[in-house]
Amino acid sequence: MNAHASTARAEKSANPIHIGEHLREWRQRRHLSQLDLAVDAEISARHLSFVETGRSAPSRDMVLKLAERLDVPLRERNVLLVAAGFAPAFPQRSLDDPALKSAREAINLVLKAHEPNPALAYDRHWNLVSANRMVAPLLEGVPERLLGQPFNILRLAFHPEGLAPRTVNLPEWAAHLLERLHRQCEATADPELLKLYQDLKSYPIPARSAPIAPDNNVAIPFKLRLNGEVLSFISTTMVFGTPVDITLQELALETFFPADELTAERMRQMAAGMG
């Protein structure tokens, strides 16, 4: 993934292309042959070839079936449908929309229940959507201008005035975040994520001096220096399992757990001090 790929994709977005070209791009991105995809989608390879070359027009159901087999994100499935001459099938609502009330309540429940440990929710571009009250103490001393909206979590992690100087294992943690972002770029081909990836690589982050030690490869901790001590966390990511709304599919919840007793005790003390 590079800036040239992002530029090329932006140019194609400005000039609508045929459904067949979209499908071929996604098939190649998933490293599938026409035969592989045809067998998986239960259609003939000849018919798929005709669709990709524009000699045959797919039905709405076929577009959705192929998109599902290719694991195309919901946002891009709408693009495929429009390119094939059909209306979009998947809505995109604000989290404030009444239709997403139950999802919003579930997010708030998870964030609140995770206290006294930090947890946050972010969108597809890693912009903060919501956080529990235990996140703010960890950002103490970060310039206010870096915390304005949109508050990008990854930019804050890499910024020399953000969390980077206080991250004890910065080379390992930054490499881990970049690897996650790279996988996301590969899966979605999102131009804004591609740009974010290139921007983050330009920050002066030291390279890892050595591979992760065998006894530390279960999970890479996030080690943050705070008030003269080092707090250590491991994180897990949660997503909605069966979303049919674009906003929900692109939303992720990151929960942090203490990796040692010192961190657990300090988080309990912080929570108690908040009343």
Side-chain angles (χ1 to χ4, degrees):
M1 286 295 179
N2 53 45
H4 295 297
S6 177
T7 301
R9 185 169 176 79
E11 289 174 351
K12 288 187 176 182
S13 297
N15 301 288
I17 60 177
H18 188 269
I19 174 62
E21 294 181 55
H22 281 293
L23 288 172
R24 183 168 58 250
E25 283 187 359
W26 279 106
R27 176 178 61 76
Q28 292 173 343
R29 190 172 291 123
R30 299 300 186 243
H31 306 292
L32 293 174
S33 68
Q34 284 186 342
L35 180 59
D36 292 332
L37 178 58
V39 169
D40 197 27
E42 300 177 328
I43 62 175
S44 72
R46 184 169 183 267
H47 185 33
L48 177 59
S49 176
F50 280 11
V51 169
E52 287 192 359
T53 58
R55 296 175 63 186
S56 180
S59 67
R60 183 178 184 277
D61 286 345
M62 179 178 288
V63 172
L64 290 173
K65 188 173 187 178
L66 290 170
E68 182 179 355
R69 296 300 186 273
L70 290 168
D71 194 25
V72 177
L74 298 186
R75 178 183 297 275
E76 297 299 325
R77 294 187 196 189
N78 279 347
V79 172
L80 294 179
L81 287 167
V82 171
F86 303 108
F90 305 98
Q92 181 179 8
R93 308 176 179 91
S94 164
L95 271 178
D96 295 331
D97 192 296
L100 297 185
K101 179 182 178 182
S102 59
R104 190 167 59 250
E105 290 175 344
I107 293 168
N108 292 335
L109 179 63
V110 170
L111 296 181
K112 177 65 177 177
H114 196 63
E115 294 179 3
N117 300 312
L120 46 85
Y122 53 90
D123 65 18
R124 67 186 176 124
H125 294 140
W126 293 77
N127 293 318
L128 184 70
V129 172
S130 186
N132 67 14
R133 60 179 185 157
M134 305 311 299
V135 171
L138 303 181
L139 304 181
E140 183 180 340
V142 173
E144 191 64 31
R145 60 185 173 80
L146 297 182
L147 303 177
Q149 296 299 323
F151 172 1
N152 189 276
I153 297 167
L154 292 185
R155 291 189 188 279
L156 185 69
F158 280 69
H159 200 284
E161 295 181 76
L163 296 181
R166 294 165 45 198
T167 302
V168 177
N169 59 334
L170 181 60
E172 292 76 20
W173 183 245
H176 162 68
L177 294 178
L178 276 178
E179 287 164 6
R180 285 180 58 181
L181 181 57
H182 184 265
R183 289 195 298 270
Q184 193 178 352
C185 289
E186 291 284 350
T188 66
D190 185 304
E192 195 164 331
L193 285 177
L194 288 165
K195 182 179 184 305
L196 177 62
Y197 180 76
Q198 293 300 323
D199 289 348
L200 295 181
K201 287 183 67 176
S202 70
Y203 280 106
I205 304 296
R208 279 191 302 220
S209 58
I212 301 297
D215 59 344
N216 290 331
N217 63 2
V218 174
I220 296 175
F222 170 47
K223 297 183 178 182
L224 184 70
R225 186 177 292 104
L226 185 68
N227 299 325
E229 297 179 321
V230 175
L231 303 184
S232 183
F233 301 92
I234 57 174
S235 67
T236 63
T237 306
M238 293 183 285
V239 295
F240 282 88
T242 54
V244 293
D245 179 276
I246 292 174
T247 299
L248 288 189
Q249 186 189 55
E250 297 175 343
L251 195 69
L253 279 72
E254 195 93 3
T255 54
F256 292 83
F257 295 84
D260 55 39
E261 184 52 40
L262 169 66
T263 303
E265 178 60 24
R266 291 297 178 265
M267 297 312 298
R268 287 192 292 265
Q269 291 174 354
M270 287 183 198
M274 294 177 181

